[in-house]
């Protein structure tokens, strides 16, 4: 259950005066607002708030979306996702120019994504999720790009399953640890001859390189902060002439390297992605709850740093 301070504002996305669908910060805020709406939808269910007493609808009504479907857990009946569609046809707002999605989905199961892509077309779908929901959206996006569907994706505070080196304050120590990490990975690949004995992870990795999910990361959040160092380290390794080492390291997880050495089947590392548009929020967060919360991404005017990374 969300604490009262986590809900942040039950009155809806009051931080908006005019919505500009072409503005990337507005689209980020819209996606975050709809994710927030799903959280509050579950709160409404728990508190039995219905009709005019419900707090959730304002979070999608404000942007002229309809709640098309609600995804409910079969075990505890909790709401874990939703499908939104616009109230007006694309011609009403010239959706081809304003980048208005025809369908928007959050924290969803893979089969629902495929069904909606088949029905509405990949160019009309947004994928979005927060925390574990972003991990689900990330997996869905990966699976869809592999079969030729490039979905616009918004991942808020996505988990990065690794030692949180980014939290170390000394930059030289961080760089040393990451370089050592890459060298060890490359050495393990050579020692186990992973390229020859098992399907190569980098083949799948290269296939994903045309997909640029939007990642939204807070450096004060240990769950997602390592994405910052992950992409910056690749850039630094290229600058020092060690891109071949990093090419091997960035496409392999320690888990798969050890499984390969034991002759076990490999699994794709969920958190490893080749390309991204990475947005990092600026400033300090007072506590972990704020650093990891969806509320920080609601305001389109927050101070952020934007960088794009492409795997080559």
């Amino acid at each position: 259950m969300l604490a009262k301070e986590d809900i942040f504002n039950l009155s809806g996305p009051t931080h908006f005066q005019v919505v500009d669908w072409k503005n990337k910060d507005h689209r980020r805020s819209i996606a975050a607002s709809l994710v927030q709406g799903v959280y509050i939808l579950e709160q409404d269910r728990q508190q039995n708030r219905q009709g005019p007493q419900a707090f959730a609808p304002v979070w999608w009504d404000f942007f002229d979306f309809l709640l098309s479907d609600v995804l409910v857990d079969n075990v505890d009946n909790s709401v874990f996702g939703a499908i939104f569609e616009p109230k007006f046809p694309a011609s009403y707002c010239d959706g081809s120019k304003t980048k208005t999605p025809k369908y928007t989905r959050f924290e969803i199961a893979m089969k629902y994504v495929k069904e909606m892509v088949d029905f509405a077309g990949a160019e009309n779908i947004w994928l979005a999720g927060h925390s574990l929901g972003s991990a689900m959206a990330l997996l869905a996006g990966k699976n869809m790009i592999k079969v030729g569907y490039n979905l616009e994706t918004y991942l808020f505070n996505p988990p990065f399953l690794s030692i949180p080196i980014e939290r170390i304050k000394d930059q030289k120590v961080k760089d040393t640890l990451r370089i050592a990490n890459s060298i060890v990975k490359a050495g393990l690949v050579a020692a186990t001859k992973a390229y020859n004995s098992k399907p190569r992870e980098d083949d799948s990795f290269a296939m994903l390189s045309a997909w640029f999910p939007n990642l939204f990361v807070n450096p004060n959040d240990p769950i997602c902060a390592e994405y910052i160092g992950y992409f910056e380290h690749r850039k630094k390794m290229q600058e020092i002439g060690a891109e071949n080492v990093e090419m091997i390291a960035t496409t392999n997880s320690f888990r798969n390297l050890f499984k390969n050495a034991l002759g076990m089947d490999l699994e794709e590392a969920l958190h490893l992605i080749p390309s991204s548009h990475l947005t990092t929020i600026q400033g300090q967060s007072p506590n972990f709850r704020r650093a990891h919360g969806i509320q920080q991404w609601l305001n389109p005017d927050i101070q952020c740093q934007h960088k794009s990374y492409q795997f080559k």
Side-chain angles (χ1 to χ4, degrees):
M1 179 180 293
L2 294 177
K4 289 184 178 179
E5 59 268 26
D6 290 330
I7 293 177
F8 183 75
N9 188 348
L10 291 175
S11 61
T14 56
H15 41 273
F16 269 104
Q17 294 182 345
V18 178
V19 176
D20 180 1
W21 286 94
K22 296 179 182 179
N23 185 304
K24 65 179 183 301
D25 291 319
H26 282 210
R27 295 201 304 277
R28 177 258 303 160
S29 182
I30 292 165
S33 295
L34 294 173
V35 172
Q36 174 79 335
V38 175
Y39 278 132
I40 300 178
L41 190 65
E42 168 59 12
Q43 285 282 298
D44 285 345
R45 183 196 69 84
Q46 293 179 18
Q47 301 298 323
N48 198 28
R49 296 190 295 253
Q50 301 178 18
Q53 283 74 45
F55 291 143
V58 68
W59 289 92
W60 54 83
D61 285 343
F62 183 87
F63 303 107
D64 291 325
F65 279 102
L66 294 172
L67 179 61
S68 175
D69 201 359
V70 177
L71 306 184
V72 178
D73 189 280
N74 291 329
V75 177
D76 60 8
N77 293 320
S78 63
V79 175
F80 70 92
I83 307 171
F84 300 100
E85 60 178 293
K87 294 180 181 179
F88 307 106
S91 58
Y92 179 88
C93 57
D94 196 4
S96 63
K97 296 181 180 179
T98 61
K99 294 183 179 295
T100 306
K102 292 183 180 177
Y103 287 85
T104 309
R105 314 212 55 176
F106 302 92
E107 298 172 294
I108 47 181
M110 185 61 218
K111 70 171 185 176
Y112 293 105
V113 178
K114 188 178 186 304
E115 288 175 1
M116 288 307 301
V117 169
D118 290 343
F119 175 72
E123 68 278 8
N124 298 314
I125 302 292
W126 278 12
L127 283 176
H130 170 250
S131 192
L132 291 179
S134 67
M136 190 176 294
L138 175 60
L139 177 60
K142 276 188 168 185
N143 288 342
M144 296 310 294
I145 191 65
K146 288 177 182 177
V147 293
Y149 297 110
N150 194 327
L151 304 185
E152 188 167 341
T153 306
Y154 296 84
L155 307 174
F156 299 96
N157 300 81
F160 191 98
L161 306 178
S162 177
I163 298 173
I165 298 176
E166 189 62 26
R167 299 289 290 164
I168 299 174
K169 301 300 182 183
D170 191 310
Q171 188 61 48
K172 290 184 178 179
V173 173
K174 288 196 292 188
D175 290 344
T176 300
L177 287 174
R178 289 199 173 101
I179 291 173
N181 181 289
S182 295
I183 293 173
V184 170
K185 278 187 179 180
L188 285 172
V189 170
T192 59
K193 297 182 179 179
Y195 278 3
N196 298 321
S197 59
K198 295 290 181 181
R200 291 174 53 166
E201 277 193 276
D202 59 338
D203 291 340
S204 174
F205 207 72
M207 187 185 303
L208 300 172
S209 61
W211 179 51
F212 284 78
N214 296 282
L215 272 62
F216 301 95
V217 172
N218 188 322
N220 303 297
D221 178 8
I223 291 178
C224 66
E226 191 57 28
Y227 270 113
I228 301 171
Y230 169 72
F231 284 111
E232 279 298 299
H233 176 62
R234 280 175 25 188
K235 180 180 176 182
K236 288 181 179 179
M237 290 292 278
Q238 184 176 9
E239 291 173 352
I240 65 174
E243 61 268 25
N244 291 335
V245 171
E246 187 56 24
M247 180 76 74
I248 298 172
T250 198
T251 58
N252 288 276
S253 66
F254 277 118
R255 177 185 177 86
N256 268 355
L257 289 173
F258 286 122
K259 291 182 73 172
N260 181 78
L262 296 174
M264 301 170 64
D265 292 334
L266 304 184
E267 298 177 356
E268 183 177 350
L270 172 62
H271 61 290
L272 300 183
I273 52 178
S275 306
S276 79
H277 298 305
L278 179 66
T279 297
T280 307
I281 199 167
Q282 303 297 292
Q284 294 294 316
S285 300
N287 52 50
F288 168 74
R289 179 172 289 172
R290 292 295 181 88
H292 190 65
I294 187 64
Q295 298 78 22
Q296 64 189 313
W297 304 109
L298 297 176
N299 189 339
D301 298 322
I302 56 174
Q303 295 298 311
C304 296
Q305 182 181 57
H306 307 280
K307 289 188 178 182
S308 294
Y309 301 90
Q310 183 173 17
F311 179 79
K312 298 179 180 180

